[in-house]
Amino acid sequence: MNKYRRLIILGIVLAVLVAARFPAHKYFRKHVDWVTAVDDHPLNCLPCHLYREADGPFSGLLNEDYLSPYNLTLSGDGHSLYIIAQDGNSLLIADTRTGKIISEIPVGERPHTVLLSKDEKTAYVSNQWSDYISVIDLGTQKIVDSLKGGNGPAGLTITPDGKFIYAVNSYSSNISVFDLETGKEVRRLRAGNNPVAAGISPRGDQVYVTSRRTVPVPYGDPPRTELTVANTISKRVDDRVLFESAYIMENVDVTPSGDLAIATLIRPKNLIPAIQVEKGWMMTHGIGIIERKENGRTIQLLLDEPGSYYPDPFDIEVGPTGKFAYVSHSGVDAVSIVDLDEIRTLIAGSTQEELDRYSNHLGISSRYVRGRMKTGANPKGLAVSPDGRTLYVAERLEDRVSVYDLEKQELVGSIDLGGPKRISYARQGRRVFNNASHTFQNQYACYTCHPDAHEDGLVYNMAASQMGRNLANVQTLRDIGQIPPYKWNGKNQTIYKQDGMRFSTVLTRTESFSYDDLDALVAYIVTGIKNPPNYRYNPYGELTAAQKRGKEIYYRTHDNFGNEIPEGNRCYTCHPPPYFTNLQMVDVGTLSETDDPMLLDVPQLNNIHESAPYLHDGRAATLEELWTTYNDHDEHGVGNDMTKMQLNDLVAYLKSLRDASYYEPIDPEVYQASVGNKQEKKNKNED
Amino acid sequence: MRIKHTAVILLTVLLGTSVNASMPIYGNWKNFSKKNGLPSDKINCVRVDGDLVWVGTGAGLALLEDGEWKTFGVEDGLAHPGVLSIDVSESGDVWIGTLGGLNRLSAGHFETFNQFNSGLPNDVIYTVACAGNDVWVATGGGAGQYDTYTEEWGIFTEVNAPMHEPWTYGVCYGDNKIWIAAWGGGIIEYQYETGNFRDYTDPDGEMEIDLFPDDGLVHDITTGVSYADGILWVATYFGMSRYDGEHWKGYFDHDSGLTSNFINFLRANGNTVFLCTDKGLSSFNGETWVNYTRNESGPGGKITTHKDGRVNNTGSSTGISHNYVLGVDFMDDAIWVATSEGLSRGTRIK
Amino acid sequence: MLFSCGDKSIEGLVVFTGIPSGEVEESLAPEHPMTHYEKGVLYAVNPDDPGSSPNMLTGEFAAAATPAVSHCGAWLFFSAKKDKGSPWQIWRMDTRSGKSFQVTSFSEDCMFPVWHPAGRVIFSRSQADGTMNLYSCDLSGENVSQITFHPHRDIAAGMMYDGRILVNSMQTHPMAGAARFIVMRQDGTKAELFHQGEGSLVPVPVFSESTEGEVIFIEASRPGGLGGSLARVHQNRPLYTYEPLQVSGTFNKVLRTVSGSYLVSSTENGKGSYGISLTDLDPGVPGTLVFRQEGLHAIQPVLIEARQRVRKLPSAVMADSETGLLMCQDIKETMLPPPEGSETSTDAAAIRIVFIDGTTHDIPAEADGSVYMELTADKAFQIYTLDHQGNVIQGPSSWIWLRPNERRGCVGCHADPELAPHNRVPFAVKNPPVSVPASGDNTREGVKP
């Protein structure tokens, strides 16, 4: 940006500030009051009109390109630390002896996990948003090949013989088995819902794959989340261990002796009226354990304490002796030290009934949590040195890896990844979003119900009026800056209001965000949350035949019998591109007996395939059910005339919808004319 | 025991002189019913997966594992107690077609697809067949193709495929093709390579008789289809057709060894096809017929061979459970037969 | 009304209550032993100049006691009697100017001020019947709001970092109960037990919380003395982490300072005058003496300094509401053994609500043990569990109250306090709540020993 241009910008800013201070103060005050829904927010134009710039002239000045370390892997000798830079789209290699980054290798978009070959000459990096695995020759530090399996590759593990990689496909919910001799995918196994990480038993006979979202359960049942156990001999699934009332199982590790497989998890309380936070009434966090033996049990134990919670457990690493495990808590910037021998004793001496009780016991952690180590912002991946004395922690929102002495439980150093030192407004907001300190007793963060700033697939009883009424399906936060109002009932005209005082009264139940934090949080939500590419259903914008047919149905004006569909009952009327919402409040006949009378905010449809269940209360488990089960009277669009094939086509089209940046607004009249002239391609939609 | 053993040896000697050397002969039948732990005596289908035997009955699903029967019902997640078809994917997922939807049973956990919660064409599923990462179903509302990778459904009916009506009865996979037995529409072939359909029908179009022999399918009302070793076998209620890629040939009970024209199901194993009829189980390798029937009275059964016009009947001290046969599958040297009154297991005696 | 102590700033000084040591037993305020002395005077002393003479701050009052400091260090609160015959009231002093302002003006005693992070002050207000409930008001004494509503003597010990009020609470009706710590949100909602005293030990209303969550407080072996021994619990698990501190001396006050050391008022072996020192509470390391003077007990010290403000908790209380909601997930869930000879607690089929005015309601539980009720707010009640025949299995509970529009849940009746709820929809919330009104009068018919 040249100097002249900067001066113009500065001049504009100064002019606005002067205007706000003097002649237009009243107007600005009124405007800010409306936006923030309070009357004491500082009269500051910048948070909304400058820091929320996702692109444009200011964004380059205001925002930074951070690295965001995510997952870690150590070389066998402990001298090389391989660091996934999630936002930097690169693999960083650090020398642990000097604490310096020695190389950076660009990879695909949104890398997730790095895995070393057995001879450590090759690194494999899963690129979650690019849909392939980079194969890197560590000698030349060049990408030499790629492995293509399912969608959203995330966790990786390798068999002890070094011949097969098991890659977890987080978006297509399966596991690709790659033969490294041929580089081909030889098997694809179904995993849990939104699987993310893999761990392998010491003998290499079984691979454990975590998942984050519940498997389909009857409406109103607690979530059940699968830990998939794949057999590396048969290359089939041995078991699907369901963890009752748990979800968001991020990572898993198996003890060196192979007696326990342990995964992090969250135990939500979504079915209980959200009337208090005290006593673990909203969220609890812990680990899930599988006893790896005949008739072994499945156990859940909390890492929380009655007056203090340790939300968003992410990584778990078992030390080389198998006596301790380390768990990073992304929501409270801490690592827990877990005494596994004590857990073994506890399990061995407990009946199943007692263990079931412990799964909800907030005090039991005092038996096996041996310490908590404070970390920098948003700790994610962990790595333990081969001698078990050192722990490396990827501090995602610090652009730093911290180094801890595990005997002293002390921070002894850090590895600066070389990212920007300035914390941008959006970055500060992302820290606020990920940190649970804004919730009473740190019980949960925004991230907890909105993992990856999306949604967690659960329906909560927010008990806005009476307990048991007005169930709410969690909504995504991806790219919502332009689509007010917010909440299903549309009561919040801005994100400021959504996250303001009432938010703290009914949800976080502690002091509301400071205005500085609130400004930053809004800046992050508006600018920093994007939809992942829709590689699964629409990778390149070329619709399939079924999707094209579905699009015709989506934009149809007449039903199968030739009757004109009233304008208000056509799909595109309420769901026009680019966000596929008209931002209006409607009644489409979907309120249930437990709902108070209200209108509903028309939801956006971008990447809708990732947002099951559907409807404001999550009654529809699939898109199909919207029309097969919950649209008896054609109030939610005319659909009862559709054949099953047409419905499948419509669903195929809906699943193809991707980020709003691929679409342009549509003028119904122009569109109608184009349809009449069979010129459907007039607007910029895919095909 | 000694008598039984002697009978088997004698049977082997007798049959060995008259049938094709590659034609397997099964005997030493052991029958299973509710008394053995099956949920019902009405056995609709049987499918072998390695050492496991999956059995679909009128009252649930059963699994024989390590000599023990396990049963699964609606309470376990089965979509409907009436199980009509089972197939197992390479990855070990068991796909179960029922009268009320489709199940995927994977590592002990059921998942249900029905016409309300998914793109499944219809809840009445006559046949399910795994084809790579696809699962195909023949249903009362068309054929369905489920891509297990993308979780998308395709439906094929008379609207978008050369069918006579949406009702489909059988489906099978082989050589990168799908064959669908479509009621009144003959056989529909789908080529993965091109994405195109074509149909095979009875050229004479006669519903009562096969007017011109070997001109194509023997009848347009097809009930089953199976492909192996380059041969397509088609079952109808009016006889069987065999297609080698160039020529069709029809087989009837009056001019071949086929035990009955009323064929419920068929499955090819190598060069031999096994036909489940209302009058017993037939097998045929293109030259020789071997039929298995149960004695109308008494405990034993009969093996009938047809070759080159010669017929040989051999009695056996054991026989299949019932002559109304609905399904068949193979396990090494054993054969499993589903009948309307029990499940039978025979072992290869030649 | 305004008093001045010479317009001298007291920032950075230690303020304490001084009482003549020879007249302690005779001169203690009879209703408020240990804390309020009829001849008490507030003094200020410089901790960096241990030998200096204390500066009298409240010479114009007949008595003063229990100084407390706002988080910003700008205000010193204390309870004081302007005249000997007048009631104790809350006062505040500008720590920069030394000017004092009267905050409360009730006919009853108002004592034990604690700074409220929303710019208010919490205090205890005596009732004629001997109870003492918590109230809060703004700095001008306006907008008075009652916080606790049970027949107890409540003394706010201080604010915890999570924003809750820690209260020393002792039941007064229908009979005197043991002193214990309870904790509640700033609006009086979600009150629950924090720490039950061990045996005859009485937790006294002073405590100090470290940023690591360690809560140190003083226990007396008998009520009425000036001091006791130190003990601690961890705020994250207070019911199970009680531990006596092995620090010699008898303590009247312990206060963690911003620097991390503790400001204490203590005397060795209970003999001699109480003096003030700064210590790390390490048994092997002597503290630094701040003030000690024979003939004068220097008690209740505070350091005038700014410190981290505790959180302002949002309030769910709505003044226009007259009821609160209570939902119990499973009344059969209890950690108490059933009374000898009675049915097991798992047979609980209903609960009985007995308001303090005697109004009684029996509410049957749903099949899953859940109950959902709408009760009159700001009215104390007790709960019993009943079997299928209506016989009492357990009860009565401690006194409970709901604030207007408070919505409160519990896992069970006398359930393990560390048990989080099962994640399942309680059957009871599928229907509107059962209405459980009190009679509306203020009698205590329901209070039976």
Side-chain angles (χ1 to χ4, degrees), chain A residues 268-272 276 279 305-307 357 360-362 366 437 441 463 465-467 509-511, chain C residues 162 164 185 190 192 236-237 309 311-312 314 333 372 407-410 416-418 420-423 429:
Chain A
K269 307 298 178 185
N270 62 305
L271 300 178
I272 300 170
Q276 64 189 34
K279 295 178 178 292
E305 297 169 28
R357 190 176 181 82
N360 280 324
H361 203 282
L362 295 162
S366 64
S437 64
Q441 296 180 337
S465 56
Q466 292 281 358
M467 299 185 201
R509 297 181 195 265
T510 188
E511 187 163 340
Chain C
D162 65 16
R164 292 182 296 172
R185 294 173 70 86
K190 310 287 190 293
E192 62 174 300
N236 292 348
R237 206 175 180 230
R309 179 173 61 76
R311 296 187 172 201
K312 284 184 276 191
E333 177 70 53
Y372 176 32
R407 296 177 304 165
R408 185 165 178 178
C410 49
D416 184 337
E418 296 188 328
H422 296 280
N423 188 25
V429 304

Side-chain angles (χ1 to χ4, degrees), chain C residues 330-354:
Chain C
D330 183 0
I331 66 167
K332 296 188 285 292
E333 177 70 53
T334 180
M335 65 186 300
L336 291 180
E340 197 170 337
S342 77
E343 299 293 321
T344 64
S345 56
T346 55
D347 287 336
I351 63 167
R352 174 170 294 161
I353 299 289
V354 180

Side-chain angles (χ1 to χ4, degrees), chain A residues 532-565:
Chain A
N534 187 356
Y535 276 106
R536 194 169 184 206
Y537 296 108
N538 189 359
Y540 309 113
E542 183 64 33
L543 298 187
T544 65
Q547 290 166 349
K548 286 178 181 172
R549 292 193 301 271
K551 184 179 176 186
E552 287 181 17
I553 295 168
Y554 188 87
Y555 286 104
R556 69 180 183 162
T557 56
H558 292 75
D559 67 12
N560 284 345
F561 308 108
N563 303 313
E564 183 172 4
I565 300 171

